Amino acid sequence: MTQPTINAAAAGRFTFPGTSISVNRMGYGAMQLAGPHVFGEPKDPEEAKAVLREALDLGIDHIDTSDFYGPYVTNRLIRETLHPYPASLTLVTKIGAWRNDKGDWILERGADFLRKSVEDNLERLGLQQMAIVNLRMGGPDDDIVAPMQAMRQMQDEGLLAHIGISTVDAKQLATARAIAPIVCVQNLYNVVQRTDDAMIDDLAEAGIAYVPYFPLGGFTPLQAEGLSKVAADLGETSQTVALAWLLQRSPNILVIPGTSKRAHLRSNIAAAGLELDAAHLQQLDALNQAG
């Protein structure tokens, strides 16, 4: 079988601030390994495990997961497939929500719940300490002080090494950084949805990672005529081009596209080595719909 030439390392590396954790900027998000709507078991468990193995073979050394994917499905698959983990692999989880038996997403950030969430992630992943845990907020109206204090307490105790935050605005970010060092921010951002442009630039100056979720549009895939045109010019998929744009947008951006298929995985990772020229970048920059 012909070996693929693509590799996540082509995107370059990023070291999280104040840590020894260095990862390839092209990572993998495990959310889609669960069943439809991120609920229940995958339709093809063996393919899901094959995706994880091939991700590592193609240079992925940063996997984003959560106990509420499934729930519990992605963490179980990761452990069954990859444990004992390579020393180079960084697993990042997210807490602050849970799923009921109907598949609803329910936000919760009490101190006891957050602690139990970290402990459950550790148990299901087979780890003694989480390298990075992202605190999932619900939006700009949420008070981040108390949950960040709980995160700092768990960091001091050694349950988690480093803290990230998700779905926050600039004010919440500033409040969080006053309580504990923040190594990454996960917010909605992609080639057409760019509310966080100023935040990304500020984080880059501070050396903090920005990890866009829904980099390909999430449950509503990106559709833009300009994106399709650039992709056709390059002979690439729109998804590959959208990921390449993110990687060229700022050196602190890490991408974690998810998939449950190996062919799609390869297409995503191909973005790591795709260099967009000035003309194509100008066309893609013009797609901003955040204004």
Side-chain angles (χ1 to χ4, degrees):
M1 183 175 67
T2 302
Q3 293 297 314
T5 57
I6 59 172
N7 193 283
R13 294 185 69 77
F14 180 89
T15 300
F16 291 95
T19 83
S20 60
I21 302 173
S22 180
V23 298
N24 289 329
R25 293 177 60 216
M26 170 64 71
Y28 173 74
M31 183 175 73
Q32 292 188 36
L33 292 182
H37 307 292
V38 202
F39 193 68
E41 297 294 328
K43 293 181 178 179
D44 189 343
E46 292 308 311
E47 177 68 8
K49 293 179 179 181
V51 166
L52 286 167
R53 288 190 291 266
E54 183 151 328
L56 267 60
D57 289 342
L58 295 178
I60 296 292
D61 59 6
H62 166 210
I63 295 178
D64 182 270
T65 186
S66 176
D67 246 3
F68 54 72
Y69 295 159
Y72 316 128
V73 171
T74 62
N75 280 355
R76 191 195 74 240
L77 287 170
I78 289 169
R79 183 173 184 175
E80 288 177 355
T81 308
L82 303 179
H83 194 277
Y85 305 115
S88 60
L89 179 62
T90 298
L91 296 176
V92 178
T93 195
K94 185 184 294 93
I95 62 173
W98 58 283
R99 312 289 297 279
N100 64 16
D101 58 5
K102 298 177 182 178
D104 298 322
W105 302 81
I106 301 169
L107 297 178
E108 185 171 343
R109 285 178 295 276
D112 290 343
F113 175 80
L114 294 178
R115 177 177 294 272
K116 182 67 163 53
S117 298
V118 173
E119 292 171 346
D120 286 349
N121 274 274
L122 289 171
E123 179 180 355
R124 291 192 172 90
L125 289 168
L127 295 170
Q128 296 298 311
Q129 182 188 63
M130 288 304 310
I132 301 173
V133 176
N134 286 305
L135 171 65
R136 171 66 156 85
M137 301 301 294
D141 294 331
D142 286 347
D143 186 357
I144 200 171
V145 173
M148 269 301 303
Q149 289 171 338
M151 297 289 286
R152 179 60 186 261
Q153 178 66 32
M154 289 188 286
Q155 183 182 44
D156 292 342
E157 294 175 19
L159 287 176
L160 56 95
H162 305 287
I163 299 170
I165 52 178
S166 176
T167 317
V168 295
D169 64 8
K171 183 178 179 181
Q172 289 168 315
L173 171 61
T175 300
R177 293 182 68 189
I179 296 170
I182 298 299
V183 301
C184 59
V185 173
Q186 281 195 2
N187 276 2
L188 171 63
Y189 185 83
N190 54 54
V191 70
V192 300
Q193 297 165 297
R194 301 189 211 160
T195 304
D196 276 359
D197 270 335
M199 179 186 287
I200 289 170
D201 296 338
D202 290 343
L203 290 173
E205 288 188 14
I208 297 172
Y210 184 90
V211 188
Y213 64 73
F214 294 162
L216 299 176
F219 300 113
T220 305
L222 292 177
Q223 293 183 350
E225 182 178 351
L227 177 60
S228 300
K229 183 179 184 302
V230 172
D233 287 347
L234 295 172
E236 302 282 355
T237 69
S238 294
Q239 291 81 5
T240 301
V241 171
L243 293 171
W245 180 86
L246 285 169
L247 289 168
Q248 287 185 233
R249 165 63 179 83
S250 183
N252 67 320
I253 288 182
L254 312 182
V255 296
I256 51 168
T259 180
S260 60
K261 302 293 184 182
R262 280 171 285 179
H264 190 197
L265 174 73
R266 297 178 199 120
S267 177
N268 288 341
I269 296 177
L274 177 61
E275 190 75 20
L276 301 171
D277 63 24
H280 287 138
L281 284 173
Q282 185 177 21
Q283 293 177 62
L284 295 171
D285 289 344
L287 301 179
N288 188 358
Q289 297 175 358

